[in-house]
Amino acid sequence: MPSTTSSPPTMTHSTISPAVLYWGTPVVLITTLNPDGTSNIGPMSSAFWIGNRCILGLGTSSQTTQNLLRTGECVLNLASDDMADAVNGLSHTTGTKSVPEYKLQRGYRYVKDKWAAARLTPQNSTKVAPLRIQDCQVQMEAAFRGTYEMLGGAVQVIEVEVLQTHVDEALRLPGHANRVDPDAWRPMIMSFQHLYGLRSGKVAPSTLAKIDEEQYRM
Ligand SMILES: Cc1cc2nc3c(=O)[nH]c(=O)nc-3n(C[C@H](O)[C@H](O)[C@H](O)COP(=O)(O)O)c2cc1C
């Protein structure tokens, strides 16, 4: 029997059936090229990262998905926790002219110029055609690498490769050419449709962080 020095926490679990499992993920503003050459902005948060790849969960009918599958390019602009006005300005909008019925029922409307709706400023990219969002401290230019259909084709799980990463100087870890200071980066987190930031400072030293970041480079 292992010895314990403190008593176990008192938790009472009960079974629930959540409609969504949005436990908290960063908000990404994806820019993609519309057929007319303008750049669309699609806010999303079903995103995670492996090496230099990102996996995105996107509704198939979204303009972002259609543009990404057609052109093979996007920019992943990360929202920081002071960008609620921009995220809310993009909420309930789509760049798809013919708004799908399920979106109409949720109050979505077609917006041609997402930049004006969110009061965001465009900036040229270096490796892909869609514009970057100048207001975002992190911008990753990326290329389509593969897709997997989910839920009978309603959702696409899309893999993209990050080709070029741009970060605001304020986020760089002093003394390192390629590192971000996690104490400086304040991502916006979407949890069960609400917008959060990370609380200030680390909760505890991380054992994982003993691994040199360069060992993850692919
Ligand atoms: C904070 C936030 C997070 C969202 N997360 C996702 C997501 O992870 N996947 C998704 O398909 N839609 C997500 N949406 C809804 C899309 O933004 C919505 O489908 C929108 O119409 C996409 O724009 P587009 O059609 O111009 O691409 C999210 C919206 C907001 C505001």
Side-chain angles (χ1 to χ4, degrees):
M1 282 281 285
S3 65
T4 54
T5 51
S6 59
S7 47
T10 49
M11 281 190 232
T12 309
H13 293 89
S14 53
T15 303
I16 64 168
S17 176
V20 290
L21 297 167
Y22 299 160
W23 300 106
T25 40
V27 176
V28 187
L29 306 180
I30 305 183
T31 43
T32 51
L33 208 66
N34 289 316
D36 67 1
T38 60
S39 289
N40 184 57
I41 310 175
M44 60 85 70
S45 60
S46 298
F48 68 92
W49 320 86
I50 305 171
N52 64 349
R53 306 288 168 120
C54 179
I55 307 295
L56 305 160
L58 289 169
T60 302
S61 67
S62 290
Q63 190 65 26
T64 301
T65 311
Q66 294 305 314
N67 287 345
L68 184 45
L69 295 179
R70 190 186 69 257
T71 66
E73 294 183 335
C74 66
V75 183
L76 308 173
N77 305 271
L78 301 191
S80 44
D81 66 3
D82 57 357
M83 292 183 67
D85 286 350
V87 174
N88 284 329
L90 294 165
S91 185
H92 292 82
T93 69
T94 176
T96 309
K97 274 188 197 143
S98 171
V99 184
E101 185 56 36
Y102 80 94
K103 281 193 175 173
L104 286 173
Q105 282 174 14
R106 295 177 191 178
Y108 277 79
R109 66 188 201 287
Y110 166 64
V111 171
K112 165 77 185 137
D113 186 351
K114 302 276 195 91
W115 301 86
R119 295 191 184 157
L120 292 170
T121 307
Q123 182 179 18
N124 283 330
S125 295
T126 58
K127 291 191 181 284
V128 299
L131 298 170
R132 292 182 275 159
I133 301 175
Q134 169 121 48
D135 314 64
C136 291
Q137 284 185 296
V138 181
Q139 309 152 329
M140 287 168 280
E141 300 182 38
F144 174 86
R145 289 293 177 253
T147 191
Y148 169 86
E149 276 191 1
M150 262 180 71
L151 303 174
V155 171
Q156 305 289 319
V157 176
I158 298 177
E159 176 187 342
V160 295
E161 177 179 354
V162 173
L163 306 175
Q164 187 89 73
T165 302
H166 310 265
V167 296
D168 180 20
E169 279 298 317
L171 295 190
R172 295 185 59 179
L173 189 65
H176 295 268
N178 292 304
R179 290 187 63 179
V180 168
D181 179 358
D183 280 326
W185 170 226
R186 316 300 306 162
M188 177 170 287
I189 303 294
M190 194 277 279
S191 177
F192 293 95
Q193 299 196 88
H194 293 275
L195 305 178
Y196 290 85
L198 297 179
R199 71 177 177 187
S200 196
K202 301 177 182 72
V203 293
S206 164
T207 304
L208 181 68
K210 288 178 184 164
I211 301 170
D212 179 2
E213 228 175 74
E214 282 299 320
Q215 289 186 29
Y216 291 100
R217 192 178 292 282
M218 292 190 174

